[in-house]
């Protein structure tokens, strides 16, 4: 009879950006949740650049927030510079970015986690997973197992006791896909074993270990095991996952040197200030905490001397000496990679970014490197203004284990092990934002599984988060995956301003949106619809002088028709709205302040900083959102029709019992790809690299043929 030291509904392993979101989601959904980390002082550590957002990444943060996550609110609280990027282009690609105070981010995130009921944070190393094989395996409601009770686990197999079995699984699972022999063949994760020997019961386990699985740091010729600089790797858990038969791969990422700001000649660099009225990440933030005290970043450039130093020493880079065999992020290359692959470029842009308000540490964005320290020192000194700069920390590269994401369902649960979910860099992604969106989805679906409720599965038409997950599970990845707006088929529909309209109802359904936040959301939708109706149905008798100069005679046109003209913007209508719709500009939801932990310190000072006639960022964002809906109405309608076609394809499901091996006409290569991924829909099958339209058509036909054999008299849906 198996006994347990502790029992929880959900256990989350790793307290990085994915782990924090997963743990908060499960706890806020009412489940007893434990978050295990190697070091309580390094929760949500920003191990690379202390910045959140950026092109497409800002979309992900907005989506996490719309679902009820916390990354956006924490960023609004500790951000020290905010910029809305790509505003010279269309609204589909606008994206917020914030430079954060590195120390305050993890302090505030820990404060948020510790204040959450149902959540316990534990410092311990998880060494093994407890796997159960039983025909009775299944999830239970949290009410069925009060905390502190002991339960037996029928057929328990700890991974440490089953390495031979796990290797056998690995050798056969790639080709066979999920078993079809009934529930007696299912395996499930029912808990974890800590390094000190304690056992912890869990109805679902979420692994979010980042770069810690068998992590190995490279700095020139030096190598040493680490999960991050100065922190030990997670070796035992990494080996345990291999024994479970989960396909893995080896990836690489890196970080640049950090400099002492007191030794930088700042006058020689171009300053890059933040936006005067910052756009918050969270829909529930009225105004960011440091809106009136933002810092400036600075722009720098490499020189021909920098390039000479790198070229002469590139053979000492672990990437080029053969010391590193893993694949790094293509879209965030090291400085040596830039020099080798783009030799025609005379210079490369760098950004000097402070890491906090109470530190002199400065991040050199764009100079990620694994070259030896002496070469790094020479590189830095070759840049005008950094001749006397002192290096506080050298840059380095890190190799780590990840799991092939085609091993996952769309819920981020592993196909082979029921109740085991993976999120973050362990799935082959790169970035805090990509990790956070996976974390909240894994936490939600782990909680829903424990509750025996239907999972939350988003499709590509409603979120960048869904695009990321679909890309991973359909295509896998051979390099750290980064989100771009170009990955979206319907990016005008997936804007930052309407993320709440797309996803907040989902967050409300699963229990992550509070009553107050839901009331605010409904009020906002009502305000915006009222404004849109007013603009579409009002024909002005006269116009403000400035607007009249732009449009001339109106000839009975509505305000909305005028707004569709390229030279007209929603700002031109503010004087009209002050007279005709003052309730929009003065609505409760537009007042500075708000509710929730992330606005606690805004206070009266920031509120008083805005003149009575000023337009707050909340007003401006809602105005811009309505403007987009009106100006791009034709394009949005076209996308909506295309979305409906895609949804129909997504509804054509491929049954679990479908046998690809018996589909005549499919090549062996095609069968192997389809068996490995096991797509759930015809649309997902069509997105698998190398799977042709002809192959998809064959599968479509054989679904009905096999349905008659598998279930006589029935056709597959």
């Amino acid at each position: 009879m198996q006994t347990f030291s502790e029992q929880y509904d959900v256990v989350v392993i790793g307290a990085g950006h994915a782990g924090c979101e997963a743990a908060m989601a499960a706890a806020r959904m009412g489940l007893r949740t434990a978050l295990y980390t190697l070091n309580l002082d390094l929760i949500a550590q920003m191990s690379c650049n202390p910045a959140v957002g950026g092109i497409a990444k800002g979309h992900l943060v907005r989506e996490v927030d719309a679902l009820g996550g916390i990354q956006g609110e924490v960023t609004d609280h500790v951000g020290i510079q905010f910029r809305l990027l790509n505003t010279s282009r269309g609204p589909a690609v606008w994206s917020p970015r914030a430079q954060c105070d590195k120390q305050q981010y993890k302090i505030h995130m820990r404060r948020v986690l510790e204040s959450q009921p149902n959540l316990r944070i534990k410092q311990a190393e998880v060494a093994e997973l407890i796997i159960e094989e039983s025909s009775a395996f299944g999830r239970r409601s949290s009410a069925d197992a009060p905390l502190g009770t002991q339960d037996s686990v029928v057929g328990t197999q700890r991974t440490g006791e089953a390495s031979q079995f796990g290797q056998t699984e690995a050798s056969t699972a790639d080709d066979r896909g999920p078993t079809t022999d009934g529930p007696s063949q299912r395996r499930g994760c029912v808990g974890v074993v800590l390094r000190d020997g304690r056992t912890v019961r869990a109805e679902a386990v979420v692994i979010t270990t980042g770069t810690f699985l068998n992590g190995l740091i490279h700095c020139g010729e030096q190598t040493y095991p680490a999960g991050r600089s100065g922190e030990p790797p997670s070796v035992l858990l990494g080996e345990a996952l291999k024994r479970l038969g989960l396909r893995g791969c080896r990836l690489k990422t890196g970080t640049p040197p950090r400099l002492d700001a007191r030794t930088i000649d700042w006058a020689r660099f171009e300053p890059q200030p933040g936006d005067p009225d910052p756009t918050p990440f969270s829909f529930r933030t009225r105004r960011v905490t440091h809106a009136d005290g933002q810092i400036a970043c600075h722009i720098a450039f490499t020189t021909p001397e920098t390039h000479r130093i790198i070229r002469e020493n590139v053979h000492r880079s672990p990437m080029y000496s053969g010391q590193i065999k893993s694949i790094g992020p293509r879209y965030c290359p090291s400085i040596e990679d830039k020099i080798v692959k783009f030799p025609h470029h005379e210079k490369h842009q760098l950004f000097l970014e402070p890491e906090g308000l109470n530190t002199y540490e400065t991040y050199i964005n764009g100079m990620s490197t694994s070259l030896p320290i002496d070469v790094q020192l020479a590189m830095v000194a070759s840049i005008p203004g950094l001749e006397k700069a002192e290096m506080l920390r050298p840059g380095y590269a890190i190799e780590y284990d990840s799991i092939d994401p085609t091993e996952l369902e769309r819920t981020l649960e592993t196909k082979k092990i029921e109740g085991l979910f993976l999120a973050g860099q362990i799935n082959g992604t790169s970035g805090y934002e990509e990790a956070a969106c996976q974390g909240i989805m894994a936490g939600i679906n782990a909680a829903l599984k424990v509750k025996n409720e239907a999972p939350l599965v988003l499709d590509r038409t409603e979120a960048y988060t869904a695009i990321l997950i679909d890309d991973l599970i359909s295509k896998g990845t051979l390099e750290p995956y980064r989100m771009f707006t170009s990955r979206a088929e319907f990016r005008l529909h997936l804007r930052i301003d309407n993320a709440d309209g797309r996803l907040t109802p989902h967050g409300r359904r699963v229990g992550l949106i509070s009553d107050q936040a839901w009331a605010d959301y409904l009020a906002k939708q009502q305000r915006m619809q009222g404004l849109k109706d007013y603009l579409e149905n009002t024909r002005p008798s006269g116009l403000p002088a400035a607007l009249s100069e732009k449009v001339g005679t109106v000839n009975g046109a509505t305000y909305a028709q005028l707004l569709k003209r390229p030279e007209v913007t929603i700002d031109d209508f503010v004087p009209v709205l002050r007279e005709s719709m003052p309730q929009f500009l003065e609505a409760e939801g537009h007042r500075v302040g708000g509710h929730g932990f992330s606005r606690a310190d805004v206070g009266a000072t920031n509120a008083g900083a805005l003149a009575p006639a000023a337009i707050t960022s909340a007003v401006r964002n809602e105005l811009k959102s309505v403007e987009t809906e009106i100006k791009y109405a034709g394009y949005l309608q076209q996308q909506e029709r295309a979305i409906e076609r895609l949804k129909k394809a997504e509804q054509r499901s491929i049954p679990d019992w479908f046998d690809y091996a018996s589909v005549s006409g499919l090549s062996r290569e095609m069968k192997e790809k389809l068996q490995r991924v096991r797509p759930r829909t015809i649309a997902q099958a069509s997105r698998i690299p190398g799977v042709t339209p002809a192959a998809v058509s064959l599968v479509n036909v054989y679904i009905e043929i096999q349905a008659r054999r598998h279930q006589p008299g029935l056709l597959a849906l």
Side-chain angles (χ1 to χ4, degrees), residues 218-222 313-318 336 369-379 391 394-395:
H218 299 261
C219 188
E221 297 85 359
Q222 296 182 340
N313 290 278
V314 72
H315 63 282
R316 300 179 64 191
S317 167
E336 54 262 39
T369 183
S370 58
L371 284 162
I373 293 177
D374 61 307
V375 180
Q376 294 187 37
L377 288 168
M379 286 162 44
M391 186 187 299

Side-chain angles (χ1 to χ4, degrees), residues 33-53:
T33 305
L35 176 60
Y36 284 92
T37 177
L38 294 174
N39 191 334
L40 287 172
D41 296 325
L42 298 176
I43 290 172
Q45 170 81 338
M46 304 184 98
S47 51
C48 199
N49 189 9
V52 170

Side-chain angles (χ1 to χ4, degrees), residues 460-482:
R460 296 179 69 93
T461 66
E462 59 185 336
Y464 277 93
T465 298
I467 293 169
L468 179 147
I469 293 173
D470 186 63
D471 282 351
L472 290 175
I473 67 170
S474 300
K475 304 173 184 178
T477 185
L478 296 177
E479 63 187 27
Y481 178 101
R482 176 178 176 175

Side-chain angles (χ1 to χ4, degrees), residues 146-180:
L147 187 62
T149 62
Q150 293 184 341
D151 195 6
S152 62
V153 183
V154 181
T156 297
Q157 260 187 324
R158 294 190 185 179
T159 55
E161 300 165 353
S163 62
Q164 185 176 357
F165 174 80
Q167 290 165 3
T168 302
E169 280 287 295
S171 66
T172 60
D174 286 10
D175 296 323
R176 82 176 177 209
T179 173
T180 58

Side-chain angles (χ1 to χ4, degrees), residues 397-409:
I398 182 167
E399 288 185 287
Y400 57 95
D401 287 346
S402 67
I403 300 299
D404 181 350
T406 62
E407 291 275 14
L408 304 174
E409 304 282 4

Side-chain angles (χ1 to χ4, degrees), residues 4 28 55 78 131 138 176 201 219 234 252 263 278 301 329 334 343 364 425 490 523 526 542 590 594 685 703:
F4 293 92
R28 291 174 66 189
I55 304 302
V78 304
I131 304 302
R176 82 176 177 209
R201 171 78 175 181
C219 188
S234 180
K252 169 252 171 191
T263 62
F301 294 93
S334 66
I364 316 181
Q425 283 180 283
F490 310 109
Q526 186 177 18
H590 289 156
I703 288 175

Side-chain angles (χ1 to χ4, degrees), residues 267-285:
R268 300 179 68 180
F269 300 102
E270 177 189 347
Q272 186 182 55
D275 294 338
D277 185 16
T279 298
F281 276 92
S282 176
F283 291 99
R284 297 175 293 279
T285 298

